[in-house]
Amino acid sequence: MAEKYFQVDKLSVKYGDIQVLWDISFEAERGEIIALVGSNGAGKSTCVKAVSGLQKTCGGTIRFDGKDLTGGNCRSMIDHGIILCPEGRQLFPEMTVYENLEMGACSKESSAKKKESIERAFSWFPILKERAKQAAGTLSGGEQQMVAFSRAMMGLPKLLLMDEPSLGLAPNIVDDIFRIAKEISGETGLTIVLVEQDVKKALKLANRGYVLENGVINIEGTAKELLNNEEVKKAYLGI
C-alpha cells in the first residue's frame, strides 16, 4: 500500500496523568483539505498541537512527506513545512501588521521570499495593506484572523494546520478566509487540516472529515457522507 503524504497513526496524548487522546488516526493526500470536527473539549486542538510539535505525545506516529517526524519539536516541524495557524490568533498586539507578517517568515527559504509573500498576503486581503503600519492589537477580530492566516502562510507551509479560524468572527469574514485557503490549496497543492466547531462550514470546505468525541474518532468519511450522516446531523447540525 502506498504511503500517504500525511499520516497520523494511533496518536495518544496525556496532560500529566490525564489522557485526552486515545489512538487517533487520520491522513491526507497532497492538496487535500481534511476537517477535524466535534464539540468543544473533544480533543481537536490537542491533535493539531501534537502535529505541530507544541504538545508531546505518549504514543503513535506522525509521518509527513515520507519522513517520520514523531517526537519532533515545533522548530523541526516548521523546518519540514508544517505550520500552525493557532486558535485565538496569537498575534503580537504591540507590533504592526507588517511586523507580525514578517515574524512568519522564520525559515531560510521563507525569509528569502519575505517581500513576495507579504505582497501576496496584501493581494488576498487588501485591508491589511491599508493597516500595514497599524498595531495588530487595534484591529477588528476579522482583520486579526486575516493577519494570523497570512502570517502562517508567510512560512511557506506544505501542511497548514488551522485551529478554530471561525471562532467569534462574522460569517462573511470566515467565508473569505476559507475561500482563499481553498484556492491556495487547489493552485499550489497545499494540504490543510482544519479544526472547527462549525461542522457544517468545515465540511463544506473539506474533502473529508473526522468527528472526534471524548478523545477518540468515532465517525469518518467524505465531507458529503458526514453532512448526510444522521448521527452528525442530529448531534452537530441541529437537524
Side-chain angles (χ1 to χ4, degrees):
M1 184 180 295
E3 184 176 48
K4 299 292 183 181
Y5 183 63
F6 168 60
Q7 189 167 30
V8 171
D9 187 44
K10 298 184 183 300
L11 187 72
S12 294
V13 172
K14 289 182 178 180
Y15 291 135
D17 294 330
I18 302 172
Q19 187 159 347
V20 293
L21 293 182
W22 285 266
D23 295 334
I24 297 288
S25 298
F26 58 96
E27 61 190 27
E29 295 289 7
R30 186 175 185 274
E32 190 174 26
I33 302 174
I34 66 166
L36 301 181
V37 299
S39 59
N40 189 32
K44 308 182 301 298
S45 291
T46 299
C47 278
V48 291
K49 285 178 181 176
V51 172
S52 69
L54 286 174
Q55 175 61 49
K56 289 185 178 181
T57 63
C58 61
T61 59
I62 299 169
R63 295 189 62 82
F64 178 63
D65 199 14
K67 301 177 182 68
D68 187 347
L69 303 183
T70 308
N73 61 23
C74 189
R75 177 74 257 176
S76 173
M77 296 305 189
I78 289 171
D79 289 341
H80 284 93
I82 300 176
I83 306 289
L84 173 66
C85 184
E87 180 181 3
R89 301 179 276 279
Q90 304 295 321
L91 301 182
F92 298 94
E94 304 300 324
M95 295 170 64
T96 66
V97 167
Y98 196 94
E99 289 167 340
N100 269 273
L101 294 179
E102 286 185 308
M103 293 296 288
C106 56
S107 67
K108 186 176 180 180
E109 180 185 3
S110 61
S111 181
K113 297 180 179 179
K114 182 168 59 178
K115 289 186 178 179
E116 176 187 333
S117 296
I118 287 177
E119 287 305 315
R120 184 175 57 160
F122 288 163
S123 73
W124 297 330
F125 307 112
I127 190 66
L128 297 188
K129 189 169 187 177
E130 297 177 26
R131 304 275 195 266
K133 296 181 180 180
Q134 189 171 326
T138 67
L139 302 179
S140 69
E143 290 165 350
Q144 288 188 22
Q145 187 62 57
M146 294 174 193
V147 177
F149 174 81
S150 299
R151 181 183 60 184
M153 292 303 300
M154 289 290 297
L156 305 179
K158 297 176 182 177
L159 171 63
L160 178 65
L161 310 170
M162 299 178 68
D163 192 0
E164 301 285 7
S166 75
L167 201 61
L169 300 185
N172 63 314
I173 298 290
V174 179
D175 290 343
D176 282 347
I177 293 172
F178 280 12
R179 174 183 55 79
I180 290 166
K182 190 159 191 170
E183 287 175 1
I184 294 168
S185 178
E187 292 169 4
T188 68
L190 173 66
T191 303
I192 299 175
V193 176
L194 171 66
V195 163
E196 259 296 341
Q197 287 189 54
D198 189 332
V199 175
K200 188 173 184 179
K201 195 175 287 289
L203 292 177
K204 283 187 174 182
L205 176 70
N207 304 107
R208 294 185 300 107
Y210 298 82
V211 180
L212 274 75
E213 186 174 337
N214 297 321
V216 299
I217 291 174
N218 64 349
I219 310 173
E220 62 181 88
T222 66
K224 185 176 180 180
E225 287 170 347
L226 293 184
L227 284 168
N228 291 321
N229 181 287
E230 291 301 322
E231 186 177 341
V232 172
K233 287 196 289 186
K234 182 177 179 180
Y236 302 104
L237 303 181
I239 300 173

